[in-house]
Amino acid sequence: MGKSLFDKIWERHEVASGLLYIDLHLVHEVTSPQAFDGLRLNGRKVRRPDRTLATADHNTPTDGTPRAALIKDELSRVQVETLEKNAAEFGIPIYSLGSEGQGIVHVIGPELGVTQPGMTIVCGDSHTATHGAFGALSFGIGTSEVEHVLATQTLVQSKPKSMRIRYEGEPGFGVTAKDLILYTIGQMGTAGAAGYVVEYAGPAIEALSMEGRMTICNMTIEGGGRAGMIAPDQTTFDYVTGRPAAPSEVPPEWRELFSDPDAGFDKELVIDCTKISPMVSWGTNPAMVAPVSDKVPVAASEQDERALEYMGLSGGTPIEQIKLDRVFIGSCTNSRIGDLRTAAEVVRGRKVADNVYAMVVPGSVKVKAAAEAEGLDKVFREAGFDWRAAGCSMCLGMNPDIAAPGERVASTSNRNFEGRQGRGARTHLVSPQMAAAAAIEGHFVDIRTWSN
Amino acid sequence: MRAIETITGKVSVLNRDDIDTDQIMPKQFLKRVERTGFGEFLFYDWAKEPDWNLPKNPILVTGKNFGCGSSREHAPWGLEDYGFQAIIAPSYADIFYSNCTKIGLLPIVLPPEQCAAIAEAGEAQVDLAAQEVRWPGGSAHFDVDPDIKDRLLKGLDDIGVTLTRGDAIAAYEAASERSGPVTTAL
Ligand code: SF4
């Protein structure tokens, strides 16, 4: 039997049975302090600082605060400063607040070219699967494992099962990568891929830009998957080569990174893209989604009832009638230059509705600069959007960007859990285009038929 | 890490499916740089609900896909600090499961009917060596990875074990390490 992309990368990185070598370890301020403490307590060193990279993102304010020392929230400041101290002590390169490489950890990896095909990549963050878009095996780990990788550059792992999701048919107008993945999670549930490494394949995936592929892989964890990956192709090679940490030519081994035609998978799923509409989440997990043209479903379980109550919605309400208080365009799912471009196209020459506070948060300092060079900041500002500095921002409410209790948010992020964007905040997950159009109208609209 | 042999005592029940780590340990407590003291923040928002009842017992019985979402180890730290030594549920999210085993909090998978029976009984004994849960009126066998079991029984630190394999890691680096990105050269 042939080998899958996952098999090939796994075998290439086995130091011994059950011990996996890690090519790149990304570190951020929230899940690392206790790991560095553990090293210190045991007199251990970081084995490979040259394979490790740190940035500050979760806690950083997006108001342009230039240095960690100036962060107003004391706990946040301590956490970012602790990361800076740890990085200095252990010799790890760091892009902290104020550095031009700073940004959301899953945005800066690909941007710098440290994310490359065929690698094993880990980070103490569940959205690490994002990097799998490059044909890497990439997954989130806990703090004990962060410490383990720092000390040994390896992870104790038993091989997960493999799953392939094939996307057949062409998605219609207005249907983005975000809609493909929201639809997929809606189909398979929040644990549909639990225990599996997922390979996304098929013509609709091959047609996606690298940014679209990152959006898909990013949300693998919302379907319970350990990692998501996509075989690298010319689109990948064109994106990676020439970046600061990447080679300028395609190494021959990158061209061998695909699943053999006779590779076996433990589970397969086929998605018909022609059936997918722009999606909106209505509940409190990312599997609770519906096409924008549909209605909020009537509760079918106690869990649904609880979700509808939290969301302040009743079954049968047309999704387009849901009024919004806030719109957030950002997060490691949708804050790259392509995302900002498509959102800017929607808002160009229009105005944000009176009842809405809308913000755009670029994923990194470099994305922000690129957007400003193209004048996107002006387009957003003129429409009434707040144009912010890079960070996780309102994706998780660990920094000053939070929604008030009861506020309803159209968000391009990845999680709509209770309280994720602030206590009592109500999150609806959508694509950047859908978020932008919702900001203009003050409620959700079907981007396919919308004409303002 | 403390070695686990048997865990005996009363059972707390949290009968909900898909409980995510944002609920177990809300993000405002992730700003701490310490590793201890997370128990008092466990289920911080839910604990304000009027009919909330989660006594500090050694065993927690809960619903399927427990611990989904964020990879924060602060969630298992909180559960352990609160007093739980074992969790029994029909299924777990992968990262959460792994995080629990790293700190010596034992996650046990049992079918929903047996979870319900244990919840009903109100007390149980977990015997890791025998891979068995016993409760008044029943008992059940559970599966656990042999390496994880061995480590938990001995209370071993994963890192110490791997460091003893330093030669194998060095040999891998010499023979097969990819010429990947060098972060220190950026
Ligand atoms: S943007 Fe959100 S999901 Fe992504 S790393 Fe930051 S907090 Fe996590």
Side-chain angles (χ1 to χ4, degrees):
Chain A
M1 199 168 64
K3 287 178 183 161
S4 67
L5 169 60
F6 165 52
D7 294 332
K8 290 178 185 177
I9 300 179
W10 183 273
E11 283 170 17
R12 183 82 179 68
H13 289 87
E14 265 188 322
V15 171
S17 172
L19 194 64
L20 199 67
Y21 195 77
I22 301 303
D23 291 326
L24 177 67
H25 185 192
L26 301 167
V27 176
H28 66 86
E29 78 276 19
V30 180
T31 55
S32 67
Q34 295 86 356
F36 284 111
D37 245 4
L39 293 183
R40 257 189 301 269
L41 276 175
N42 293 289
R44 291 167 179 159
K45 290 205 293 268
V46 173
R47 184 179 178 93
R48 297 295 300 268
D50 59 330
R51 297 287 197 188
T52 312
L53 184 68
T55 192
D57 53 6
H58 286 65
N59 266 307
T60 53
T62 61
D63 59 0
T65 300
R67 274 183 294 124
L70 300 175
I71 297 176
K72 288 188 201 84
D73 179 272
E74 187 185 337
L75 292 173
S76 296
R77 180 171 50 72
V78 168
Q79 213 166 43
V80 177
E81 287 184 329
T82 303
L83 180 69
E84 291 179 349
K85 273 190 232 135
N86 285 330
E89 180 182 338
F90 290 93
I92 294 168
I94 177 169
Y95 292 109
S96 191
L97 197 59
S99 134
E100 63 176 39
Q102 184 259 339
I104 305 174
V105 64
H106 310 309
V107 174
I108 68 162
E111 184 174 271
L112 291 163
V114 294
T115 299
Q116 296 173 17
M119 293 174 64
T120 46
I121 303 175
V122 297
C123 172
D125 187 278
S126 60
H127 293 98
T128 309
T130 312
H131 309 263
F134 292 80
L137 175 63
S138 178
F139 50 90
I141 55 178
T143 299
S144 292
E145 291 176 315
V146 169
E147 186 179 338
H148 192 279
V149 179
L150 288 171
T152 70
Q153 203 58 27
T154 64
L155 257 189
V156 177
Q157 284 282 302
S158 47
K159 194 175 175 189
K161 291 178 285 185
S162 66
M163 173 173 179
R164 177 163 57 189
I165 307 182
R166 282 191 63 83
Y167 292 80
E168 303 287 0
E170 211 177 304
F173 170 78
V175 176
T176 67
K178 183 67 164 282
D179 303 301
L180 299 193
I181 191 65
L182 284 174
Y183 177 85
T184 306
I185 296 162
Q187 293 288 303
M188 68 182 183
T190 51
Y196 294 91
V197 164
V198 182
E199 179 176 346
Y200 300 96
I205 297 294
E206 288 159 27
L208 288 174
S209 67
M210 281 321 296
E211 301 192 341
R213 294 180 192 187
M214 283 188 256
T215 301
I216 300 244
C217 289
N218 173 273
M219 290 195 67
T220 304
I221 184 74
E222 311 313 335
R226 191 89 178 96
M229 57 204 314
I230 293 172
D233 58 11
Q234 199 55 44
T235 306
T236 322
F237 304 150
D238 291 346
Y239 187 98
V240 182
T241 47
R243 289 186 179 263
S248 50
E249 303 270 323
V250 178
E253 59 174 78
W254 288 8
R255 300 194 189 273
E256 288 155 28
L257 295 166
F258 54 83
S259 289
D260 297 332
D262 56 343
F265 290 87
D266 299 302
K267 189 169 171 180
E268 297 230 39
L269 188 68
V270 176
I271 301 274
D272 179 357
C273 294
T274 61
K275 296 219 174 83
I276 306 180
S277 307
M279 304 296 285
V280 179
S281 76
W282 53 265
T284 52
N285 74 48
M288 295 173 163
V289 289
V292 59
S293 45
D294 234 335
K295 296 186 170 99
V296 173
V298 175
S301 66
E302 222 175 282
Q303 197 182 14
D304 289 357
E305 261 168 45
R306 202 184 144 84
L308 288 177
E309 194 193 319
Y310 179 87
M311 292 297 289
L313 294 171
S314 39
T317 308
I319 297 219
E320 290 197 77
Q321 283 178 17
I322 299 175
K323 282 210 174 57
L324 297 159
D325 304 303
R326 282 175 174 255
V327 170
F328 168 60
I329 298 178
S331 90
C332 58
T333 316
N334 285 122
S335 65
R336 298 179 180 83
I337 188 72
D339 300 312
L340 304 193
R341 281 188 193 129
T342 48
E345 271 332 294
V346 173
V347 307
R348 192 182 291 276
R350 300 186 166 103
K351 290 276 178 226
V352 171
D354 290 341
N355 56 311
V356 170
Y357 165 75
M359 69 197 303
V360 184
V361 186
S364 70
V365 172
K366 287 194 179 120
V367 169
K368 181 165 191 265
E372 287 173 355
E374 291 177 24
L376 302 185
D377 57 323
K378 264 204 214 86
V379 174
F380 284 116
R381 279 206 177 108
E382 277 167 16
F385 277 83
D386 199 356
W387 176 253
R388 314 284 299 179
C392 292
S393 182
M394 223 171 76
C395 176
L396 91 166
M398 273 191 80
N399 52 72
D401 302 344
I402 51 169
E407 275 193 327
R408 192 177 292 290
V409 191
S411 177
T412 65
S413 57
N414 44 47
R415 280 190 181 140
N416 51 347
F417 296 150
E418 288 181 27
R420 173 85 178 174
Q421 297 190 298
R423 216 167 86 74
R426 295 161 170 162
T427 307
H428 295 274
L429 305 173
V430 287
S431 72
Q433 286 94 313
M434 287 282 291
I440 303 300
E441 293 296 344
H443 57 85
F444 289 113
V445 290
D446 189 337
I447 193 85
R448 295 168 300 185
T449 52
W450 179 60
S451 53
N452 174 277
Chain B
M1 202 165 87
R2 191 180 51 218
I4 301 178
E5 281 171 28
T6 56
I7 298 163
T8 312
K10 285 220 165 65
V11 165
S12 299
V13 182
L14 190 47
N15 191 13
R16 291 179 192 175
D17 290 339
D18 299 311
I19 294 177
D20 59 79
T21 53
D22 274 78
Q23 307 316 318
I24 301 173
M25 189 56 57
K27 70 233 154 219
Q28 61 268 36
F29 307 113
L30 272 53
K31 291 189 180 184
R32 305 174 78 241
V33 292
E34 302 84 17
R35 191 167 189 145
T36 50
F38 283 92
E40 60 180 298
F41 312 124
L42 191 71
F43 293 109
Y44 190 75
D45 290 326
W46 286 2
K48 294 181 186 141
E49 291 174 9
D51 51 355
W52 182 255
N53 180 27
L54 193 73
K56 297 188 178 188
N57 290 327
I59 301 169
L60 173 67
V61 177
T62 185
K64 71 172 164 56
N65 196 28
F66 187 66
C68 61
S70 158
S71 60
R72 60 190 69 165
E73 199 165 303
H74 313 67
W77 293 339
L79 288 160
E80 193 210 25
D81 192 56
Y82 194 77
F84 295 119
Q85 298 168 43
I87 308 173
I88 304 176
S91 61
Y92 300 87
D94 293 340
I95 303 178
F96 177 83
Y97 184 93
S98 154
N99 284 344
C100 287
T101 67
K102 302 291 178 196
I103 64 164
L105 174 60
L106 178 63
I108 295 169
V109 179
L110 285 180
E113 314 79 61
Q114 287 173 342
C115 291
I118 296 166
E120 180 69 34
E123 56 178 302
Q125 180 176 59
V126 174
D127 184 337
L128 177 58
Q131 294 182 224
E132 198 173 65
V133 183
R134 296 180 274 268
W135 64 92
S139 71
H141 175 85
F142 64 88
D143 289 328
V144 56
D145 176 277
D147 291 337
I148 293 177
K149 175 179 173 180
D150 186 54
R151 211 165 40 71
L152 291 178
L153 282 171
K154 295 182 182 141
L156 279 180
D157 160 16
D158 233 0
I159 299 174
V161 176
T162 302
L163 283 174
T164 63
R165 298 161 87 178
D167 290 348
I169 300 171
Y172 174 91
E173 284 172 332
S176 338
E177 188 182 335
R178 306 176 74 257
S179 59
V182 181
T183 58
T184 41
L186 276 166

